[in-house]
Amino acid sequence: MNRELYDKLIFEYSKPGRQGFSLPRRDCKDVLGSIPAGLRRSNAVNLPEVDEPTVVRHYTNQSTNNFGVDTGFYPLGSCTMKYNPKINEALAADSTIAALHPTQPADTVQGALELYWRLQKALCTIGGMAEFTLNPFAGAHGELTGLMVIRAYHASRDDRGRQVVIVPDSAHGTNPASAAVAGLQVRQVKSMPDGTVDLNDLRDKLDDSVAAVMLTNPNTIGMFERNIPQIAEMVHAAGALLYYDGANLNPLLGVARPGDMGFDVMHINLHKTFSTPHGGGGPGAGPVGVREGLEQFLPNPRVVLDAEGNFRTECTDSALGRVSGWLGNYTVLVKALAYILTLGKEHIKMVGPLATLNANYIMHSLRDLYLLPVEGPCKHEFVFDGLIDKSQGITTLNVAKRLLDYGFHAPTIYFPLLFHESLMIEPTETESLETLDRFIEVMRSIALEAKESPDMLKNAPFNTPVRHPDDTEAALHPKVTYDEL
């Protein structure tokens, strides 16, 4: 197929008088006359005049420019963009599931309520928690809900002076944002060179104003927080609670449980770890789990199994209230339970070790060309600080753009902020050895190009529909419409 044909904008096919629709004529003069003059157009709408096949072909061809995990390797760090089985999508789309309504009587949706209940119990087992709510719609929503649980806990003890949340300087941006939305103040704790929490700095910042400490484990550079038991002891001794950001739970599946480490509250990104493709704003789910003694603060409504063996929802006065319209994103929860049941106890234990193996394989295969700022085994992801050889002025952004020419999505760049040229790579457990080897080969080729043909990297990408843009201009003056109206 002629590539230029695919690259043409739909306006290039426009011909006066050509149309792809046929609607009954209507006299709208009276309607138009009722529109205030200030809201009427002074010029005609500049729309293309094309036939239906041209429109269909244009948008179909445009859709092939979208990159996703179904079309290629997607090593985006801290996001766990892994391949998800299509049977889970088919189950969620089944009409007997998709057509349910949240206000149906409980006796007509016993299967759906049982699914909620079983997923709650499965997540308790996986996370080491006493109870879960499935109501939050996303990870950040789960963070907010978890912090609201923590606030409710302190309020129940009449300990209302605890208004501070401590977060590491390497934390995901949602941590301080969620704390602020919850009406709490943020206090930052420093990280050690390996990205783990500085215990001395944490000790100095723990006092009776602290409500909680939020941690991600493994942390944002893929290193396991080996001092978690000591941190938990320090936090609890100060009267605060320890919160687990579940964004990086994937490498712990079958290996460790946050509840066993001493975490009191956690959220899980189902749309990362438990089979829902994410990106573009949703859909997602951010269930929140709590240790024993905090269950009563979870939001209404809750799904319970009564003494007669029936599933129902209940609301309690001790709950923090509602955080969503009903019981969360049901079809996302369907996919999560399908994922868990398909793997089973014996195979879910393979997820974490395989993700860790893949990350370490790539890291050790490239560390002679890319700067590894933290030594030692990583978990699910790792961070390079750009190329070792920076003599040609090649930046992480140049490397990321050149990767697009080879058909790979770029990893996360310039995060975490601990390093100047951060390049965060997360291969996940679902990629084959052949895919990893191809990615390693390309990364090595780019390092060679950086030395021998630096201008090529500085002007990449060349093979994408939108080629090398002016990043500053695009950020300051984005063009989001096809024409000036």
Side-chain angles (χ1 to χ4, degrees):
M1 183 64 68
N2 188 338
R3 175 71 188 188
E4 292 184 2
L5 180 63
Y6 280 83
D7 288 340
K8 282 182 178 291
L9 293 173
I10 199 167
F11 278 95
E12 297 181 36
Y13 298 104
S14 179
K15 299 294 181 182
R18 187 170 291 173
Q19 62 184 36
F21 67 93
S22 178
L23 298 175
R25 290 187 175 276
R26 291 288 185 269
D27 185 359
C28 297
K29 290 182 180 180
D30 293 337
V31 175
L32 294 175
S34 66
I35 299 175
L39 298 179
R40 299 181 201 171
R41 284 184 173 276
S42 58
N43 57 306
V45 181
N46 183 23
L47 294 176
E49 299 177 66
V50 290
D51 55 82
E52 182 177 320
T54 298
V55 174
V56 172
R57 289 166 186 165
H58 168 75
Y59 284 106
T60 300
N61 292 333
Q62 287 293 91
S63 72
T64 64
N65 292 326
N66 292 335
F67 192 96
V69 75
D70 287 353
T71 59
F73 185 35
Y74 210 126
L76 204 62
S78 278
C79 282
T80 315
M81 301 290 283
K82 61 184 177 183
Y83 177 82
N84 294 289
K86 292 299 170 279
I87 188 173
N88 301 349
E89 295 290 318
L91 289 170
D94 187 279
S95 61
T96 58
I97 290 175
L100 294 178
H101 195 281
T103 61
Q104 286 183 227
D107 61 348
T108 70
V109 287
Q110 283 294 292
L113 294 177
E114 181 178 356
L115 186 147
Y116 275 102
W117 186 83
R118 291 192 178 280
L119 180 56
Q120 289 170 183
K121 298 305 177 186
L123 295 181
C124 286
T125 300
I126 292 169
M129 293 288 162
E131 189 60 85
F132 260 88
T133 176
L134 309 181
N135 298 7
F137 289 130
H141 194 196
E143 288 179 9
L144 176 61
T145 302
L147 290 169
M148 291 168 68
V149 167
I150 291 171
R151 290 200 66 168
Y153 163 77
H154 290 304
S156 73
R157 296 158 54 88
D158 201 25
D159 197 0
R160 301 177 187 275
R162 295 185 178 273
Q163 299 291 318
V164 173
V165 173
I166 294 178
V167 299
D169 55 11
S170 63
H172 296 127
T174 52
N175 288 182
S178 297
V181 172
L184 298 165
Q185 302 167 32
V186 178
R187 187 178 296 170
Q188 192 176 88
V189 62
K190 293 188 296 186
S191 296
M192 302 290 283
D194 64 354
T196 59
V197 172
D198 185 325
L199 296 187
N200 292 327
D201 192 42
L202 176 62
R203 186 177 294 107
D204 292 341
K205 291 176 178 176
L206 281 170
D207 55 35
D208 58 7
S209 70
V210 177
V213 175
M214 300 182 76
L215 293 180
T216 305
N217 195 25
N219 60 32
T220 51
I221 62 171
M223 304 301 288
F224 192 82
E225 290 279 357
R226 59 188 179 278
N227 295 317
I228 282 293
Q230 187 175 352
I231 291 173
E233 184 179 348
M234 292 166 57
V235 171
H236 293 150
L241 298 183
L242 189 58
Y243 183 94
Y244 180 79
D245 177 347
N248 289 353
L249 181 65
N250 201 61
L252 297 189
L253 293 185
V255 179
R257 307 192 308 173
D260 298 336
M261 300 176 200
F263 286 95
D264 304 290
V265 182
M266 68 177 292
H267 84 270
I268 295 176
N269 294 49
L270 290 189
H271 49 288
K272 292 183 180 181
T273 311
F274 294 103
S275 184
T276 292
H278 77 293
V288 171
V290 295
R291 63 156 170 81
E292 188 175 357
L294 299 175
E295 305 97 318
Q296 67 270 28
F297 303 116
L298 289 173
N300 289 325
R302 295 171 60 190
V303 176
V304 297
L305 178 62
D306 64 25
E308 288 74 38
N310 298 314
F311 295 95
R312 60 181 177 81
T313 60
E314 71 171 17
C315 296
T316 63
D317 293 336
S318 61
L320 59 83
R322 288 179 179 264
V323 297
S324 57
W326 196 244
L327 288 167
N329 280 326
Y330 179 56
T331 55
V332 175
L333 306 179
V334 171
K335 286 178 272 191
L337 186 61
Y339 177 88
I340 292 170
L341 293 179
T342 301
L343 289 178
K345 289 183 178 180
E346 66 276 21
H347 292 125
I348 205 168
K349 294 179 180 179
M350 299 173 63
V351 172
L354 284 175
T356 300
L357 175 65
N358 286 352
N360 280 274
Y361 178 66
I362 293 178
M363 181 181 74
H364 284 281
S365 297
L366 296 174
R367 59 178 300 171
D368 60 320
L369 294 173
Y370 293 85
L371 181 60
L372 185 64
V374 178
E375 294 292 336
C378 65
K379 294 304 177 203
H380 63 306
E381 65 189 5
F382 61 92
V383 179
F384 284 132
D385 191 5
L387 288 160
I388 292 177
D389 183 358
K390 295 179 170 59
S391 62
Q392 299 297 324
I394 297 301
T395 66
T396 284
L397 182 60
N398 298 144
V399 173
K401 287 183 177 180
R402 184 59 174 151
L403 266 173
L404 305 181
D405 282 331
Y406 288 96
F408 290 118
H409 193 282
T412 299
I413 60 174
Y414 299 113
F415 180 82
L417 304 179
L418 297 174
F419 314 114
H420 185 63
E421 291 290 332
S422 288
L423 183 72
M424 180 190 288
I425 299 172
E426 180 182 5
T428 80
E429 77 281 359
T430 55
E431 298 299 337
S432 68
L433 178 62
E434 290 76 17
T435 297
L436 301 186
D437 283 339
R438 173 59 180 157
F439 178 74
I440 291 167
E441 177 188 351
V442 167
M443 288 290 285
R444 297 189 70 85
S445 295
I446 291 174
L448 181 63
E449 291 174 347
K451 185 177 181 179
E452 298 180 351
S453 307
D455 286 343
M456 177 181 291
L457 264 68
K458 292 177 182 179
N459 290 290
F462 301 96
N463 302 328
T464 52
V466 177
R467 298 182 183 165
H468 189 82
D470 183 327
D471 298 288
T472 302
E473 180 68 17
L476 295 177
H477 305 289
K479 295 182 179 179
V480 295
T481 60
Y482 67 86
D483 195 10
E484 294 294 328
L485 299 180

